[in-house]
Amino acid sequence: MVEELGKAEREVPTNPVQRRVQELVQFTKQLQRVHPNVLAKALSRGIVHQDSDLVVINKPYGLPVHGGPGVQLCISDVLPILAKMLHGHKAEPLHLCHRLDKETTGVMVLARDKEVAHQVQELFRTRQVAKKYWAITVHVPVPSAGVVDIPITEKEVQGQQQHHKMALTPSYRMDSGKMVRVRTSRNAHVAVTQYQVLSSTLSSALLELQPVTGVKHQLRVHLSFGLDCPILGDHKYSDWNRLAPQKLSVGTLKKLGLPQSKARHIPLHLHARQLILPALGSRREELSLVCKLPRYFVHSLSRLGLKMPSQDQNGDQEAGRLGAQ
């Protein structure tokens, strides 16, 4: 039975749409359903840096950092196993230093002991860590570089599916042609994002994002509701009123090789590209940590006609080629 399932997975559908869906499913395979040892091994293969204090991994897509309702397996579950794989059976479990959303990929810092973890957490809390994310957006922001400085709060969305979303709470509104300051909600969080277009077509863009603050879903909310440029594959924030697959233009769907009915298979294209940690402990220099893009991200760039900055091309294109094999 297992062999039959494996054979079915390997078989390539003749229908181009089915083939494209299978490709996306394979690129974004859920690691939640594997044995903890298999997950730990997969994370160990994605290590981008390790020293006497830190282990830095390239977080895969679709993998939660923490446990919760409906979560079968998460990164924190396998940190003891990963530590033993890397440092021997007497190693203490690795410690989380920060978090990334389940759908976000990229640089994730782990510490080898609690003391270092607290020090790194404090660097994040006091905004001493420079963070750069890459995202593919639907639409192109105008202007091509700028700062979004709009507070964010959590709100309940009424409708057929009652749910909660993070929302913008602007400090100003227009009243009879004049800009008027409004009273800020007590629950609103200051949220600031720098952005820059790295490449664009008429209907999509590759952006570099630098969050100055760290509010929940900040980048997704600022892009979708602040710049009207939702992230490709953001099925939560592309439409305020509904929780439904992202609606894409006919042209974008054609480039991606998918009909609208299969848009739900498109993963979130948001990648923690780089972290720069200041000097810490015995390390006298800052530490720049860069993670390659996931395979599906590289393929989407190619399909949409978006180009990577030249200095970043080689490693990421190699990842794309490996994914195609």
Side-chain angles (χ1 to χ4, degrees):
M1 181 67 181
V2 174
E3 283 181 13
E4 284 175 17
L5 286 170
K7 187 181 176 186
E9 276 194 355
R10 286 194 299 272
E11 282 176 3
V12 179
T14 52
N15 181 303
V17 170
Q18 288 177 344
R19 194 162 58 239
R20 180 72 181 123
V21 169
Q22 187 190 68
E23 186 181 77
L24 284 171
V25 170
Q26 286 176 340
F27 282 170
T28 58
K29 259 203 176 114
Q30 295 285 350
L31 285 166
Q32 276 193 63
R33 300 187 185 93
V34 300
H35 189 278
N37 288 357
V38 175
L39 174 56
K41 191 74 177 171
L43 295 179
S44 72
R45 285 197 294 266
I47 288 173
V48 295
H49 172 85
Q50 58 176 318
D51 57 34
S52 57
D53 293 325
L54 304 173
V55 173
V56 182
I57 60 172
N58 189 347
K59 179 191 166 297
Y61 174 83
L63 189 61
V65 174
H66 298 286
V71 173
Q72 293 170 303
L73 189 61
C74 60
I75 287 177
S76 60
D77 287 343
V78 300
L79 293 183
I81 304 169
L82 182 59
K84 285 174 182 169
M85 277 183 180
L86 297 175
H87 308 126
H89 285 289
K90 292 184 180 178
E92 71 165 283
L94 293 161
H95 301 270
L96 295 165
C97 296
H98 61 115
R99 57 165 296 158
L100 287 175
D101 289 340
K102 175 183 171 181
E103 295 89 359
T104 305
T105 57
V107 186
M108 174 145 235
V109 181
L110 309 169
R112 291 182 63 169
D113 65 55
K114 249 181 197 163
E115 176 74 23
V116 173
H118 288 151
Q119 290 173 2
V120 177
Q121 286 162 5
E122 187 63 13
L123 292 175
F124 275 95
R125 193 187 68 79
T126 53
R127 301 176 189 168
Q128 294 183 63
V129 180
K131 297 176 275 187
K132 291 183 180 179
Y133 288 73
W134 280 13
I136 296 177
T137 59
V138 179
H139 308 155
V140 183
V142 178
S144 59
V147 177
V148 182
D149 182 357
I150 308 175
I152 291 174
T153 190
E154 191 163 20
K155 288 186 178 177
E156 189 174 341
V157 181
Q158 302 295 335
Q160 288 181 327
Q161 300 167 286
Q162 209 168 20
H163 59 282
H164 287 81
K165 282 183 182 174
M166 304 307 286
L168 298 179
T169 53
S171 304
Y172 295 88
R173 65 178 172 83
M174 295 302 290
D175 187 4
S176 303
K178 291 182 181 178
M179 197 174 282
V180 180
R181 188 170 180 85
V182 295
R183 208 159 90 191
T184 310
S185 163
R186 274 185 300 179
N187 299 322
H189 302 277
V190 173
V192 182
T193 303
Q194 293 180 327
Y195 73 90
Q196 179 183 353
V197 174
L198 299 178
S199 176
S200 65
T201 63
L202 289 173
S203 56
S204 59
L206 170 65
L207 266 60
E208 182 172 87
L209 309 163
Q210 295 187 57
V212 178
T213 53
V215 180
K216 178 183 175 181
H217 296 171
Q218 173 182 319
L219 299 177
R220 295 165 69 178
V221 174
H222 273 172
L223 288 175
S224 190
F225 303 139
L227 292 171
D228 189 27
C229 293
I231 297 173
L232 180 64
D234 193 341
H235 307 295
K236 180 165 186 168
Y237 287 104
S238 292
D239 186 311
W240 170 253
N241 294 307
R242 301 186 312 144
L243 280 175
Q246 185 178 42
K247 280 206 167 173
L248 296 168
S249 70
V250 174
T252 298
L253 288 166
K254 190 175 179 183
K255 287 179 182 176
L256 293 172
L258 291 169
Q260 180 60 49
S261 62
K262 302 296 183 184
R264 67 184 185 278
H265 293 289
I266 301 171
L268 184 74
H269 286 64
L270 178 62
H271 179 70
R273 177 67 172 175
Q274 182 180 25
L275 287 182
I276 302 174
L277 292 173
L280 181 72
S282 58
R283 183 169 41 77
R284 300 294 174 85
E285 298 170 351
E286 68 178 25
L287 181 62
S288 175
L289 303 160
V290 178
C291 271
K292 287 180 184 178
L293 296 168
R295 297 165 183 175
Y296 67 83
F297 200 119
V298 177
H299 280 235
S300 294
L301 286 173
S302 175
R303 282 178 167 268
L304 293 169
L306 295 166
K307 294 186 171 72
M308 269 183 284
S310 54
Q311 71 269 25
D312 295 292
Q313 279 181 3
N314 293 340
D316 290 296
Q317 285 178 345
E318 181 62 28
R321 280 196 292 275
L322 289 171
Q325 289 171 5

